[in-house]
Amino acid sequence: MEQTLVFVKPDGVQRGLIGEVIARLERRGLRLAAAKFMQVTEEFAGQHYAIHQGKPFYDKLIAYIISAPVMAMVWEGSNAVEAVRQTMGATRPTEAAPGSIRHDFGLEIGRNLTHASDSVENAKQEIALWFKPGELVSWQRSIDEWVFE
Ligand code: IDP
Ligand code: MG
């Protein structure tokens, strides 16, 4: 089953939107595989966002991500990477589709509420960075056959 790394960023946590994000992913049919509420360190944020090092927004991005706790999760399901990116919406909230989280709750790219892996390959790397193998729960739901064909 395809898996993807999601976290509710500090603005989403401060605004009380952890439950909203979880509810939308559950409602979509995705299955939770792991969750961890944590304060990210500057070093860890640098590892997660290594690809953005040197970009003009990098320093502000790191400051944003360590400014309050985050809620990190692994979600799984058919096409989980693409489905979760769609539920989050485009990076810039004013370009995010109506009905997406970033559209419905956001205004600025630097306060866009959530992270979601952008490819299956990156999802694998990000899950390995954020979670130990033993923190992932392998389980079935009785409704799985009504969601996964
Ligand atoms: P993504 O989160 O949709 O995958 P990325 O391009 O990977 O978007 O950028 C990572 C994060 O960096 C974004 O979610 C956003 O918080 C921040 N970011 C990206 N581009 C900008 C920018 O131009 N200005 C400010 N922040 C940005
Ligand atoms: Mg990204």
Short mmCIF file of all heavy atoms in Angstrom, two decimals, residues 9 48-49 51-52 85 91 102 115-118 122 126, ligand 2:
data_model
loop_
_atom_site.label_atom_id
_atom_site.label_comp_id
_atom_site.label_asym_id
_atom_site.label_seq_id
_atom_site.Cartn_x
_atom_site.Cartn_y
_atom_site.Cartn_z
N LYS A 9 1.76 21.77 10.08
CA LYS A 9 2.82 22.72 10.41
C LYS A 9 2.42 23.55 11.64
O LYS A 9 1.26 23.52 12.06
CB LYS A 9 3.07 23.62 9.19
CG LYS A 9 3.71 22.87 8.01
CD LYS A 9 3.88 23.80 6.81
CE LYS A 9 4.61 23.10 5.67
NZ LYS A 9 4.71 23.98 4.47
N HIS A 48 15.06 17.75 6.69
CA HIS A 48 13.82 17.56 5.95
C HIS A 48 13.75 18.46 4.71
O HIS A 48 13.30 18.03 3.65
CB HIS A 48 12.60 17.82 6.84
CG HIS A 48 11.31 17.75 6.09
ND1 HIS A 48 10.72 16.56 5.73
CD2 HIS A 48 10.52 18.74 5.57
CE1 HIS A 48 9.62 16.81 5.04
NE2 HIS A 48 9.48 18.12 4.92
N TYR A 49 14.20 19.71 4.88
CA TYR A 49 14.11 20.68 3.78
C TYR A 49 15.46 20.90 3.09
O TYR A 49 15.68 21.96 2.50
CB TYR A 49 13.53 22.00 4.29
CG TYR A 49 12.02 21.98 4.48
CD1 TYR A 49 11.45 22.26 5.71
CD2 TYR A 49 11.17 21.67 3.41
CE1 TYR A 49 10.06 22.24 5.88
CE2 TYR A 49 9.79 21.65 3.57
CZ TYR A 49 9.24 21.94 4.80
OH TYR A 49 7.87 21.93 4.96
N ILE A 51 16.58 19.98 0.35
CA ILE A 51 16.42 20.31 -1.08
C ILE A 51 16.21 21.82 -1.31
O ILE A 51 16.48 22.33 -2.39
CB ILE A 51 15.24 19.49 -1.67
CG1 ILE A 51 15.22 19.58 -3.19
CG2 ILE A 51 13.92 19.91 -1.08
CD1 ILE A 51 14.12 18.76 -3.83
N HIS A 52 15.74 22.52 -0.28
CA HIS A 52 15.47 23.96 -0.43
C HIS A 52 16.62 24.84 0.08
O HIS A 52 16.51 26.07 0.05
CB HIS A 52 14.17 24.34 0.28
CG HIS A 52 12.96 23.72 -0.35
ND1 HIS A 52 12.66 23.86 -1.67
CD2 HIS A 52 11.97 22.94 0.18
CE1 HIS A 52 11.53 23.20 -1.95
NE2 HIS A 52 11.10 22.62 -0.85
N ARG A 85 -1.60 15.09 -1.63
CA ARG A 85 -1.19 16.39 -2.21
C ARG A 85 -2.43 17.17 -2.67
O ARG A 85 -2.54 18.38 -2.48
CB ARG A 85 -0.26 16.19 -3.41
CG ARG A 85 1.14 15.70 -3.07
CD ARG A 85 2.06 16.74 -2.50
NE ARG A 85 2.45 17.78 -3.42
CZ ARG A 85 3.37 18.70 -3.12
NH1 ARG A 85 3.98 18.70 -1.93
NH2 ARG A 85 3.68 19.63 -3.98
N THR A 91 0.90 24.65 -3.29
CA THR A 91 1.77 25.27 -2.28
C THR A 91 1.30 26.68 -1.90
O THR A 91 1.30 27.03 -0.72
CB THR A 91 3.21 25.33 -2.83
OG1 THR A 91 3.59 24.02 -3.27
CG2 THR A 91 4.19 25.81 -1.77
N ARG A 102 -5.31 24.03 1.99
CA ARG A 102 -4.59 25.30 1.86
C ARG A 102 -5.50 26.40 1.33
O ARG A 102 -5.36 27.56 1.69
CB ARG A 102 -3.36 25.10 0.98
CG ARG A 102 -2.23 24.36 1.73
CD ARG A 102 -1.17 23.86 0.80
NE ARG A 102 0.03 23.41 1.50
CZ ARG A 102 1.07 22.85 0.90
NH1 ARG A 102 1.06 22.66 -0.42
NH2 ARG A 102 2.13 22.47 1.59
N HIS A 115 2.37 19.86 5.34
CA HIS A 115 3.36 19.30 4.42
C HIS A 115 2.83 17.95 3.95
O HIS A 115 2.23 17.21 4.73
CB HIS A 115 4.71 19.08 5.09
CG HIS A 115 5.64 18.25 4.25
ND1 HIS A 115 6.40 18.79 3.25
CD2 HIS A 115 5.87 16.91 4.21
CE1 HIS A 115 7.07 17.81 2.64
NE2 HIS A 115 6.76 16.66 3.20
N ALA A 116 3.10 17.62 2.70
CA ALA A 116 2.83 16.26 2.20
C ALA A 116 3.91 15.92 1.18
O ALA A 116 4.28 16.76 0.36
CB ALA A 116 1.45 16.19 1.56
N SER A 117 4.40 14.69 1.21
CA SER A 117 5.43 14.24 0.27
C SER A 117 4.95 14.44 -1.17
O SER A 117 3.76 14.27 -1.45
CB SER A 117 5.74 12.76 0.48
OG SER A 117 6.00 12.49 1.83
N ASP A 118 5.91 14.75 -2.07
CA ASP A 118 5.50 15.06 -3.45
C ASP A 118 5.75 13.93 -4.44
O ASP A 118 5.44 14.06 -5.62
CB ASP A 118 6.17 16.36 -3.92
CG ASP A 118 7.68 16.26 -4.00
OD1 ASP A 118 8.25 15.17 -3.74
OD2 ASP A 118 8.31 17.28 -4.34
N ASN A 122 10.25 10.30 -2.66
CA ASN A 122 10.48 11.22 -1.54
C ASN A 122 9.69 10.80 -0.30
O ASN A 122 10.15 10.99 0.82
CB ASN A 122 10.12 12.65 -1.94
CG ASN A 122 11.15 13.24 -2.88
OD1 ASN A 122 12.30 12.78 -2.95
ND2 ASN A 122 10.76 14.27 -3.62
N GLU A 126 11.25 10.48 3.34
CA GLU A 126 10.74 11.31 4.44
C GLU A 126 10.19 10.44 5.58
O GLU A 126 10.40 10.76 6.75
CB GLU A 126 9.66 12.26 3.90
CG GLU A 126 10.24 13.33 2.98
CD GLU A 126 9.19 14.25 2.37
OE1 GLU A 126 7.99 14.10 2.67
OE2 GLU A 126 9.57 15.12 1.57
MG MG B 2 7.71 19.94 -1.10
#
